[in-house]
Amino acid sequence: MARTVHVIGAGLAGLSAALKLSARGDTVAVHEATVFAGGRCRSYHDAVLGMTIDNGNHLLLSGNRAAMDYVRGIGAEHRLAGPAAAQFSFVDNASRESWTLRLNDGPLPFWIFDAKRRVPGTQVLDYVALARLLLPASGKTVGEVIACEGPLYRRLVQPLLLAALNIDPPQGSAKLARAVIRETLGAGGKACRPLIARDGLGATLIEPALTVLRERGAVVRFEHQLRAISFGADRAAALDFGGDIITLADDDAVILAVPPYAATSILRELAAPTEFRAIVNAHFRIAPPAGQPPILGVLNATTEWLFAFPGRLSVTISAGGRLIDTPREELAKTIWGEVASVTGLPATLPPWQIVRERRATFAATPAQDAKRPGAETQWRNLALAGDWTNTGLPATIEGAIRSGNRAAELLARLP
Ligand SMILES: Cc1cc2nc3c(=O)[nH]c(=O)nc-3n(C[C@H](O)[C@H](O)[C@H](O)COP(=O)(O)OP(=O)(O)OC[C@H]3O[C@@H](n4cnc5c(N)ncnc54)[C@H](O)[C@@H]3O)c2cc1C
């Protein structure tokens, strides 16, 4: 009889691990504490807006190779929408200037030499200085490696790193910034095509994964929160779901794919990130104006990225801790004022919703990055997964999926 692998947590890390293991013939049981799968990457029906929305806008890039494999594996690649080439539109809310950054496909950055493709107000030499971020810089912050000022920083590096690291870039880990730049700008336009789940995160990344898992005979149990693990000499021996105890057979295994604060409440000795950053999203039920780009970077505003969906405009604000205590209506009005001004839509506030994820990601500082554990634990049949484990990437979909794949690989190698 096939062994059973218990995957704890049905976020992207847990789902990707479950998919890999079920594909190789393991019996898989996924245990999720809440009533929904997807974790921090989910859709839900919002009663105020009367429509299904995502907890937050999520952007993938065509170079997110593990994420692309994952969507192909669940037959959902047609649900990711984006332009044929790497283009990013920006508007400056202060100067009213707007421009579109157009990267060329290959890894040699010819776009830097073309004033019509690069960031306005920048020179080729500005980009050369940016190359310092491509050098190894363990333990350093971005602010210690590059000058966080000037038009290239304000108009490209700051918005890119703020979105990717979810931290004010000067405080961010230069090592994580390097990984982002290497896998995006450094890999050329082919790796930078922006991709959005047009029909929602649930329909694109989560429900098709659950369907594939169920087709393979995997069980997904909701409202089944792991409370404790009991251990034998070198292995996890039983899982305690609060009254419901599952005893593990000798070759059974476990992947703990929960957020770091949940993992440390179960494994008390585990070192893991302890600081987090918020992400704020504002959703407005209104049809985007004709010609609105799917994603628009907005500078000199509270709004950072404006996403256009059918019947809805949505704004993302990273490192949004400063906005956590702002009254919701005040925030909605401020953000809508900016959106109306950059889109030309009427100033009257449409139906809105604000979603604030307080612990959206671990704080991508060098100190917090140093606390990230690998997938392996001291117990031979227990592996860790999650965007906060040591993936070498910031907390992203790509990192979460790679972590799940890695944990599955580790357990696949068990004798
Ligand atoms: C608002 C927002 C915007 C984002 N934007 C982007 C973006 O544009 N691009 C990008 O790449 N990434 C983005 N991210 C990050 C991305 O969502 C995460 O990196 C990824 O979803 C993390 O997946 P995970 O599986 O590691 O963790 P989670 O999604 O946190 O999954 C963990 C799961 O474990 C469950 N759980 C917890 N404790 C237990 C327990 N004891 N027993 C059983 N189950 C348990 C939880 O309920 C949860 O379902 C964003 C995140 C947020 C919040």
Side-chain angles (χ1 to χ4, degrees), residues 12 29 39 53 69 73 139 175 189 226 303 327 335 338 397 402 412:
L12 284 168
I53 61 172
D69 280 352
K175 182 185 119 197
L226 182 71
T303 301
I335 296 171
E338 294 167 353
I397 292 176
R402 281 193 206 173

Side-chain angles (χ1 to χ4, degrees), residues 61-83:
L61 293 177
S62 47
N64 291 152
R65 57 177 192 273
M68 292 305 127
D69 280 352
Y70 173 97
V71 288
R72 272 191 294 273
I74 57 173
E77 65 271 45
H78 61 287
R79 293 184 180 267
L80 285 177

Side-chain angles (χ1 to χ4, degrees), residues 235-236 248-253 380-381:
R235 60 182 281 272
L248 301 173
D250 196 53
D251 59 350
D252 287 352
R380 63 175 166 80
N381 63 345

Side-chain angles (χ1 to χ4, degrees), residues 23 26 51 54 62 72 75 85 97 128 159 169 183 214 257 261 267 307 325 346 349 366 369 375 405 409:
D26 284 320
M51 64 200 317
D54 296 331
S62 47
R72 272 191 294 273
E97 271 175 283
V128 176
E183 295 201 10
R214 287 185 181 123
Y261 41 87
L267 304 175
F307 289 70
D325 296 324
L349 185 60
D369 183 48
N405 293 347
E409 254 168 50

